[in-house]
Structure formats: C-alpha cells, structure tokens
Amino acid sequence: MTTESIQGLPTQRPNPLDPPAEIGALRATDSMVRMTFPDGHLGWLATGHHAVRSVLASPVFSNRVDLTHPVIPAKRLMAQSLKDFPMPPGMFNRMDDPEHGRIRRMLTGQFTVRRMKLLEPRIEQIVDEHLDAIIGAGPPVDLVPAYTLPIPSLVICELLGVAYERREQFQGDASTLLNLESGAEEAMAAWVSIQKLLSDIINEKRATPGDDLLSGLIAEDELTHEELVTIGMVLLIAGHETTANMLALGTYTILQQPGRAEALLADPAAAVEELLRYLSIIHFGPVRTALEDVEIDGHQIKAGEAVAMSVAGANRDPEKFHDPDELDLTRHAQGHLAFGHGIHQCLGQQLARIEMRIGFAALLRRLPTLKVAGEVRFRDKMTIYGLFNLPVTWDE
C-alpha cells in the first residue's frame, strides 16, 4: 500500500498503442493512488482491474455531474464551473438510479442482441459498398473518412432515424465536445448546435414518424421533449465516435506486424475482444464520486471524494490478464472493461462488436496486401483515443 500522490492523470503515451507508462508503474505499486485533480480536489486514481471494476459496480459511487468535481480529469472541463455546464434532462449516462434506470429500461429493448443481429445484413451491405468505392478509386486512401468513420456513422443514423446528410454537423460538434483543448465557449456552442439539431429531428418525427428508435421513443410518450433531445444526442455521439476510432486504431494495430490479419480472419470475434482490451480507447476517466465512506482494495475512500479510473490500466493488469502487454488475437479476453461495468455498461456494445467484427474482417479479406502508407496522427488530446487519419495503400 502506498501513500504516493500524483498531480493529475498521466496521459503521455511514448508508445501510442500502450497506456501511459506511469499508469503501469503506479499499478505495480498499488491499485489505487492519491491524485490531485486540476481543480485542486484531492481524490483517487484507480489503475488495477479489481479496483476499477469494484468502483464501477458499487452503488456507493455516484455518476452524477453535479456530485463530482470533474466529468473527466482534464483541463477544459476543470476550468469550467459545473453551474455553467448543468446536466440536461435525459442525460442517462450521467445519472444514478432510479432516474437512470427509468430511461435505461426504455432503451435496453431497442438494443437487444436479437435486434442487433437482425442489423447484420445491412451492416455487411454498408461495409461492402464502402470497400467497393475504395477499391474502385484505387490506392492510396485515407481510411478514416473513407471507411472507419462513415460505417458506424451511417449505421447509428439509420438506427436512430437521422438523415445521414446531416453527418458533417453532428460529427463536427462531437469532435469539438470531445476535444480537451476546446475552450468553454467553443464547447458550449457545439453543445447548443447539436442539441438544436436533435430538437429539429424530434419535431420532424412527431409530425412524420418512421420505423426508427427515436420515433419509437416518441410513440411511447413517456419522455419529455428535452429528454428525447439529450438521449438522441448521447446515442448519436457515442454510436459513431467510439466504434469509428476502434476500427481505425485496430486496423493500424493489425497492420504493424505480419500474421495479425490472418489471426483476425481465423476468429474475428475473439480478435475484436482482444483489440478492445489491448487498445482501451477511453482515454480519460470515467470518474465516480463516493456518496459515503467505503473501502476499495484496502483504501478508505471518504464521502465526496472523486475516483478517476484508468480503463487502459485495468485492461493491462497482469493480475487479470497473462502477459497483458502482448497483443494475442487468439486470447479469450473475457472480463475486459472496455465497455465499462455495472449499470452504466455500454448500451450499444453488441452493435459495436458486430460493426468491428464485420468491418475488420471484410477490410482484411478484400485487401490482403493493405499497409500503412504515411504519417498517422493520434488523438491524444481527445477524450476518446484513436486516429485522426490512416493513410494506406495496397497492391492492385
């Protein structure tokens, strides 16, 4: 057990595919350490798998914005007081039960494993259409705008009933909101913009319902307009940003060593789970606040103290995973925390798995000589880690 205190969350990645080196060093000493957040609040950083999982599972810890100091332990949101960034109605991912459970139950029926599997033929069609266009145009190509970003964007748009032609606005606003270097005014402008977009879409669907998730929620008549707008915004952002970056960063990772493509094609489902574990693209947080005194891994967490969690650190914990810094696409990586844990576990995880399994396999099967062909820029200043670009080429 250590009494060491660190200043802020370690973020520097000397190797872009590994967590910050300090995370592993801290975890080797203790699964939880004292950490001073940028606003001066003395809280905790959890890096061990058991510690992170325990905090995420415990009802003693709150996820509400107005009960914690930072949403993420990062400069932009720390500099902005929470009174200027209030939690809007319907932001279920920042609520506790019973409010969270009320909305979550409505959404769970829309994201069942059965419904997600029914989407597979359409996802396969979308993937094939984009690969047809890429192959038809010939190399070189940047896979981010040509493949990894549009596929999950189009899928979530169709699921929610959002016209894909509106993608430039919501993708731009989402990028601003997730950028740690965005100023408070810039972030708020993006927030207002994407809220207005969803408000307009909700109004359109009230007048002309469709066979989509948002129309279904409107028909249930249990949510206010403001709640529907925020729910739509959360699903739209989460539904494309996370999977898009996993597709891009996962492809880059596979192309770094011979044999990885063959291993993925042999068992895409297992490979996807290992990539999720190994890459852990949640770059900052999550953060929870203790509602009462509680003990985690031998440490006494006082009521009101915030705990930031390193998902990347937890997913590289040698006490949970053998040789965790080795990417083994044949590994059965059960128990990784890439989708979180507990009541806030990712709602769309089954959809994301299907998109990645189909997207990786089709890309590597149809372009077996694919290779990186230029400088890659990593998203190290974003709350979701990944790639801004992925230039590639192949033998025609």
Side-chain angles (χ1 to χ4, degrees):
M1 192 178 301
T2 180
T3 58
E4 180 183 3
S5 178
I6 62 171
Q7 299 295 313
L9 184 68
T11 60
Q12 296 299 315
R13 301 186 181 219
N15 181 341
L17 297 181
D18 291 335
E22 297 96 325
I23 294 292
L26 290 169
R27 187 189 56 230
T29 303
D30 206 328
S31 64
M32 294 189 68
V33 297
R34 277 297 206 178
M35 185 178 84
T36 302
F37 289 81
D39 69 342
H41 168 70
L42 182 61
W44 297 85
L45 171 64
T47 59
H49 185 278
H50 181 266
V52 171
R53 192 176 188 275
S54 297
V55 173
L56 291 175
S58 174
V60 171
F61 288 91
S62 173
N63 194 37
R64 291 183 64 86
V65 169
D66 52 1
L67 286 178
T68 188
H69 289 253
V71 177
I72 54 173
K75 181 172 61 176
R76 169 171 59 80
L77 291 181
M78 293 308 307
Q80 183 180 357
S81 67
L82 291 176
K83 65 182 176 61
D84 295 327
F85 201 83
M87 183 175 70
M91 185 163 275
F92 63 96
N93 59 319
R94 299 298 300 173
M95 292 177 173
D96 297 334
D97 282 342
E99 295 90 347
H100 165 265
R102 176 180 71 92
I103 295 176
R104 180 87 179 200
R105 282 189 292 273
M106 295 182 201
L107 295 173
T108 299
Q110 306 288 341
F111 285 90
T112 62
V113 174
R114 179 178 179 276
R115 182 171 185 180
M116 294 304 102
K117 286 190 70 66
L118 291 175
L119 290 174
E120 284 195 35
R122 176 57 180 148
I123 295 172
E124 289 172 347
Q125 181 184 6
I126 291 170
V127 167
D128 284 338
E129 288 172 352
H130 283 79
L131 283 172
D132 288 343
I134 289 170
I135 294 170
V141 68
D142 183 350
L143 279 185
V144 170
Y147 191 74
T148 63
L149 178 58
I151 289 170
S153 294
L154 187 51
V155 171
I156 195 63
C157 280
E158 292 190 0
L159 183 63
L160 294 178
V162 174
Y164 187 56
E165 291 72 24
R166 287 166 149 157
R167 66 189 181 278
E168 288 190 8
Q169 179 183 343
F170 73 72
Q171 287 174 352
D173 290 337
S175 180
T176 299
L177 288 170
L178 297 175
N179 190 334
L180 298 174
E181 296 186 333
S182 295
E185 291 185 6
E186 188 180 7
M188 187 58 71
W191 177 274
V192 171
S193 173
I194 200 167
Q195 287 257 308
K196 183 180 185 307
L197 172 66
L198 267 299
S199 182
D200 291 344
I201 290 169
I202 298 296
N203 286 331
E204 292 165 7
K205 292 190 176 299
R206 290 191 189 279
T208 311
D211 183 20
D212 55 72
L213 190 152
L214 289 177
S215 293
L217 290 176
I218 292 169
E220 291 183 18
D221 199 26
E222 295 186 29
L223 296 165
T224 67
H225 181 80
E226 290 75 17
E227 287 175 328
L228 285 165
V229 167
T230 303
I231 290 168
M233 182 201 72
V234 171
L235 295 177
L236 188 60
I237 293 176
H240 82 274
E241 273 283 348
T242 50
T243 306
N245 282 289
M246 269 303 304
L247 282 170
L249 192 61
T251 299
Y252 174 83
T253 304
I254 291 165
L255 297 180
Q256 295 307 297
Q257 286 189 12
R260 286 180 175 173
E262 290 78 6
L264 183 141
L265 289 171
D267 191 346
V272 164
E273 298 303 315
E274 173 67 349
L275 286 167
L276 285 163
R277 179 201 71 82
Y278 185 78
L279 296 174
S280 302
I281 62 170
I282 302 303
H283 196 32
F284 292 90
V287 177
R288 298 288 189 269
T289 302
L291 297 173
E292 58 188 66
D293 294 355
V294 61
E295 182 177 309
I296 299 290
D297 280 9
H299 297 278
Q300 293 296 322
I301 315 301
K302 299 293 185 182
E305 290 184 336
V307 179
M309 288 161 278
S310 172
V311 173
N315 282 342
R316 297 287 189 97
D317 189 342
E319 292 192 6
K320 175 65 179 178
F321 301 101
H322 174 69
D323 199 7
D325 292 326
E326 178 68 22
L327 178 67
D328 179 2
L329 296 177
T330 66
R331 184 200 305 262
H332 295 283
Q334 291 96 338
H336 69 73
L337 300 175
F339 290 118
H341 182 66
I343 64 171
H344 287 286
Q345 192 171 28
C346 176
L347 187 66
Q349 61 182 283
Q350 300 307 329
L351 177 59
R353 285 183 166 104
I354 292 168
E355 290 174 325
M356 284 185 278
R357 175 170 51 80
I358 294 172
F360 285 132
L363 176 68
L364 298 171
R365 184 177 60 250
R366 294 188 61 181
L367 293 172
T369 60
L370 193 69
K371 53 183 174 289
V372 178
E375 183 180 356
V376 172
R377 293 183 296 116
F378 293 89
R379 292 164 50 104
D380 53 357
K381 300 296 183 184
M382 307 289 283
T383 61
I384 297 174
Y385 193 63
L387 299 180
F388 284 115
N389 69 320
L390 181 52
V392 297
T393 189
W394 60 92
D395 299 333
E396 293 189 80

